Amino acid sequence: MKTVIQRVSKASVTVDGQVVSSIGYGLLVLLGIEDADGKEDIDWLSQKIVNLRIFNDDDGVMNRSVLDTGGDIIVVSQFTLHALTKKGNRPSYIKASKPEVAIPMYESFVEKIEQDLGKKVGTGIFGADMKVELLNDGPVTITIDTKNKE
């Protein structure tokens, strides 16, 4: 699994002109899934995200997690995180899982994040043409690939 995690002051996802999720202070998580990903990746990544100390403490040092701050999370599926760009100028998405694999993995990831965070998590709509709006706070943007966890 590949993720781009952005600390946000606010974020929202709109589909067909309707806002389907919105949060204030928290994290926007873009999630890419490949066939090699499994439950171990879900569990590890969820724990990593909710405990990632990228929020400022009282001294202005990034020393607090989204759990510590009571912030919210939106998780948006994004197959383009698995783009291969080595050859030519048109990215290949061959490594990204097909919907029949990716949808259950995405749903399991969202459920795990909700368990670890202790509250409902916002989502996009898998496979939809989504408009994601955010106000990046910092800016703070972190990438994590579960294939590099060791």
Side-chain angles (χ1 to χ4, degrees):
M1 297 180 130
K2 289 185 179 182
T3 59
V4 173
I5 301 155
Q6 296 180 309
R7 186 178 77 183
V8 298
S9 296
K10 64 180 179 177
S12 64
V13 180
T14 302
V15 177
D16 295 328
Q18 299 278 99
V19 175
V20 296
S21 289
S22 66
I23 63 169
Y25 201 61
L27 299 174
L28 172 66
V29 177
L30 305 175
L31 177 70
I33 298 166
E34 64 179 83
D35 289 347
D37 295 327
K39 183 177 179 342
E40 178 183 305
D41 295 294
I42 290 170
D43 293 345
W44 182 86
L45 185 57
S46 177
Q47 279 293 305
K48 181 62 84 173
I49 289 170
V50 300
N51 290 295
L52 198 60
R53 294 175 8 193
I54 59 172
F55 292 90
N56 292 345
D57 63 16
D58 293 338
D59 295 323
V61 177
M62 285 195 286
N63 202 26
R64 300 179 75 208
S65 70
V66 70
L67 280 173
D68 298 330
T69 64
D72 294 311
I73 296 177
I74 291 181
V75 180
V76 176
S77 62
Q78 187 156 1
F79 74 94
T80 59
L81 292 178
H82 287 288
L84 299 174
T85 58
K86 188 173 182 178
K87 293 169 72 175
N89 292 318
R90 183 175 182 190
S92 168
Y93 304 106
I94 192 121
K95 287 186 71 175
S97 290
K98 302 285 186 255
E100 55 272 9
V101 172
I103 291 172
M105 290 286 291
Y106 172 75
E107 291 171 349
S108 292
F109 179 77
V110 169
E111 288 174 14
K112 181 66 171 137
I113 284 271
E114 288 177 339
Q115 287 174 358
D116 293 343
L117 188 61
K119 61 180 164 180
K120 188 84 173 133
V121 169
T123 63
I125 297 177
F126 192 95
D129 180 19
M130 296 177 272
K131 306 303 180 207
V132 179
E133 189 172 0
L134 68 132
L135 182 56
N136 193 314
D137 180 35
V140 175
T141 302
I142 308 287
T143 61
I144 299 175
D145 186 336
T146 60
K147 302 305 176 256
N148 299 328
K149 65 181 171 254
E150 295 182 20

